[in-house]
Amino acid sequence: MHFGVSYFGVRNPLHCQRDIEAIARLGFSSIIFTFSEEDHRFYQGTLVACVRYAHEQGLQAYIDPWGVCGVFGGEAFSERGAWDLAGQQQRSDGRPLPLLCPNSAEVRTYLQRWITTVAEVLHADAIFWDEPHFSLPFGATQQQGLWSCCCVRCQAQFRHLYGTAFPTTETPEVRQCKQEALLQLIQDATAMAAGHGLRNIVCILPEHEDLEGLQRKCARFAANPHLDILATDPYPLWHRREVATTQVFCEALLQACQRHHKHAQMWIQGFRVPAGQESLLGDEMRLMAQCGIHDIAIWSYLATGYMSSHTCADAPRVWEVFTQTMLELRGGALG
Ligand SMILES: [Zn+2]
């Protein structure tokens, strides 16, 4: 069994070193460092030190384009999304959004620079392509049925694929077209990274309501020749589902990975865990292992206890459940 943990928010190398040593002592094998646009501008040297500490401790160092261009998961804001006006997404009401369109040249130009830094400056092992997505409407925007992207590139792409006029609502064809755009972006980005000798992990946003869609999505992303590990994060507590539903996600992921000879990784929600539900995460980890998942990771270190907006009701308890279940599953794997 392999276990991974994400690490962010600390940019003092002295503290990072202490935390990385603690992570290694607990038996993790990989650490996922967030590397936002802000980090790329201001903290390259700090991340160089973090990657070096990880390697000294025998950990694999993966780098996450956290919130980069507004296309990848994470709470970090995107400067490029605000400044590269020609590359912005356009919402269905015509409003430009401060996020770059996955179909744009601008996002590729920035990612090329970002990847080069990860490979040649940070000397990391892999890139963790975190939840590539178009703008995710929520709250009032979602209630009004506003969606993205309706920019000229996306409209042209739709006409090219379907030969019909661009719809005014987000039809299944539009959603398919958006998935193709994300696949192409990931294909391009992973090819650039592989060209620098980096391995590639892609974590896909799970399709919760559509099993066929989930299987199709896993299969399409797993077919990428530059991909090494395919991951997903069902987070049943966040989505208020039974932990048992995680089995469907494990099976879809494993089926696609086996067909394309890739490794599979599943994520555990170590943030915003409600009081009294901590032990369910241990049940979910055991379920993943029973399904045949050999790589389980948690977002984030210490159950995100240091990020006030995302901490758990009892972060120390969540962290204890994860690390104790780790030991248990390792014992099982050994014995
Ligand atoms: Zn677009």
Side-chain angles (χ1 to χ4, degrees), residues 134-259:
F134 279 82
S135 165
L136 297 170
F138 63 96
T141 310
Q142 188 177 27
Q143 281 157 18
Q144 290 165 38
L146 295 171
W147 57 282
S148 176
C149 178
C150 303
C151 77
V152 289
R153 291 167 295 255
C154 289
Q155 295 201 26
Q157 179 72 4
F158 186 89
R159 284 193 298 271
H160 175 72
L161 277 179
Y162 293 100
T164 56
F166 192 70
T168 51
T169 57
E170 193 181 26
T171 62
E173 289 76 21
V174 167
R175 285 199 288 275
Q176 187 58 39
C177 205
K178 287 167 68 171
Q179 180 149 309
E180 293 301 322
L182 293 171
L183 275 159
Q184 191 58 55
L185 177 65
I186 290 300
Q187 188 98 10
D188 294 348
T190 54
M192 287 183 223
H196 281 283
L198 291 163
R199 289 185 296 126
N200 287 294
I201 302 145
V202 177
C203 183
I204 52 174
L205 269 175
E207 302 282 333
H208 290 282
E209 312 303 339
D210 169 11
L211 179 59
E212 272 183 40
L214 171 69
Q215 290 169 335
R216 207 166 39 239
K217 189 172 188 177
C218 288
R220 290 297 306 277
F221 277 91
N224 176 359
H226 310 295
L227 179 93
D228 297 282
I229 301 173
L230 188 66
T232 194
D233 45 7
Y235 296 164
L237 303 187
W238 180 255
H239 294 280
R240 295 166 194 270
R241 286 193 319 266
E242 296 291 320
V243 161
T245 57
T246 290
Q247 185 167 344
V248 171
F249 297 92
C250 293
E251 286 168 355
L253 190 70
L254 283 167
Q255 192 180 31
C257 286
Q258 280 159 5
R259 187 182 312 153

Side-chain angles (χ1 to χ4, degrees), residues 279-315:
S279 67
L280 294 175
L281 299 175
D283 298 342
E284 192 185 16
M285 290 169 73
R286 285 181 211 103
L287 173 63
M288 288 172 175
Q290 281 160 18
C291 288
I293 298 289
H294 301 305
D295 189 346
I296 301 175
I298 182 168
W299 195 283
S300 188
Y301 181 51
L302 299 179
T304 325
Y306 41 83
M307 183 181 189
S308 53
S309 67
H310 278 59
T311 189
C312 305
D314 187 349

Side-chain angles (χ1 to χ4, degrees), residues 7 83 125 174 212 303 322:
Y7 186 82
W83 281 98
D125 300 293
V174 167
E212 272 183 40
F322 189 92

Side-chain angles (χ1 to χ4, degrees), residues 85-142:
L85 303 184
Q88 285 179 335
Q89 292 184 37
Q90 189 179 319
R91 206 164 64 183
S92 50
D93 59 355
R95 178 178 171 154
L97 300 178
L99 318 164
L100 295 188
C101 174
N103 274 322
S104 69
E106 285 77 4
V107 71
R108 287 163 174 78
T109 302
Y110 181 75
L111 284 178
Q112 177 72 76
R113 282 174 44 209
W114 186 92
I115 291 165
T116 303
T117 302
V118 171
E120 296 181 7
V121 181
L122 305 190
H123 300 295
D125 300 293
I127 296 179
F128 180 80
W129 300 102
D130 192 349
E131 299 183 340
H133 62 275
F134 279 82
S135 165
L136 297 170
F138 63 96
T141 310
Q142 188 177 27

